[in-house]
Amino acid sequence: MIYVVCDIQGYKQKVKDIVSGALFPEAGLESGVGHAGGVGGLVIVRDLDLFSYCESYLFPFQIKCHVGYVPSGQRVVGLSKVSRVADTIAKRLQDPQRLAYELCTALQHGFRATGVVAVVLQCSHIHLPNFESAILDPNHEGWVKILVASGSGVFKDEKSDSWTDFFSLLRFRDINVEDIHCRGSIGKSWCPAHSFPKTEPANPVMLNAVASILCSLGEDPLREELIETPDRFVKWLMKFRNTNPDMKLNGFVRNRRDSLISNGVDHIEDSICSELNLTLWSQCEHHLLPFHGVVHIGFYCSNGVYPVGRSLLQSIVHFYGFKLQVQERLTRQIAETVSSILGEDVMVAVEANHTCMIARGIEKFGSNTATIGVLGRFSTDPAARAKFLQIIPSSCPA
């Protein structure tokens, strides 16, 4: 957590230092009115992939950022500097509306664009379930999404022609103007941490540790928005302790073949069966950051007898997900447990997106990690492995 949250660059880097030297002269841009391609010419930089940290409980959230400005004073700004400024402002403890406002203000002063800057942010916050809801609600919605905007100068008027031009160029980015929240319009409904149930007080030593991290960033733990943050983070982390529900495995036969033979079935035909897209939520033990995705389980069925229900396999996935994990170990644990129910011939494939791949300086947005675990016949039969892997859909909801 210390490694990830303490992104000092977001607090120490100055917008002025980033932009200085990247304001280029361009004839025809007069002091008060933009003429880039005509009077009031608008420059838009779209689809900047960013991440920030939710100030409510220190989880990263992802951002698709769109910035527009009207150049003036015979200057245009280097386009890469727009991305660098947005990245710097985002690498702080934020909420979406304040992020949009601070980014708009920083760019306004940095560009000296006569106060004509617009920012639209599409923010996606991971919503990890607690263990009970993960087991009981297979349709748990894993993301909270919000669309926010901020503007200065002519963009202060939400109905101005400048906004119309801006949104016209974003229309094919799946942005609906009616869905946009402006500053002060959403309160605390954004972060799923605000819906956490009340529980016993968190460990004071852990609370102090989180508060010290906030202090090391230069934040004030007594700031209104941060007062409950250490408590929320610690309570969420402790959800991964002592997850030992009764999975009721004893009622299942370890080897279906033996069961069929004992019931007088003489001819046994095996075929590969599968359960695909079992949802997975977990927490990386290296960085204390979430990862999420899907699990696919392959096994042999005898004479078309389907041995267990999907719900049991989903419970096994959630059981091992609700521990501090690494994906490689989790894959093996699921395979070994499933084999104790379905027999030794089991193959498990896990596809997951790891927040640490975008929140630690790596910033590989859209990257995905796949792991497999094989037991029994799957470990010795390449054709069986290939057959199961071909069953897995090419586009998974990870």
Side-chain angles (χ1 to χ4, degrees), residues 41 64 73 92 101 132 157 169 231 263 273 294 369 371 393 396:
K64 186 75 73 172
R92 303 173 183 176
Y101 174 76
E132 291 75 19
D157 181 0
L169 289 170
D231 183 70
N263 284 293
C273 300
V294 290
T369 301
T371 50
C396 295

Side-chain angles (χ1 to χ4, degrees), residues 115-165:
V116 182
V117 176
V119 173
V120 171
L121 305 179
Q122 297 168 277
C123 302
S124 301
H125 194 320
I126 193 170
H127 183 194
L128 299 181
N130 57 39
F131 185 81
E132 291 75 19
S133 65
I135 294 293
L136 299 175
D137 181 11
N139 298 317
H140 169 79
E141 177 56 55
W143 293 94
V144 176
K145 298 184 179 182
I146 194 170
L147 192 63
V148 297
S150 182
S152 60
V154 295
F155 288 104
K156 283 187 175 180
D157 181 0
E158 300 172 21
K159 298 181 180 180
S160 70
D161 292 339
S162 298
W163 273 120
T164 301
D165 295 341

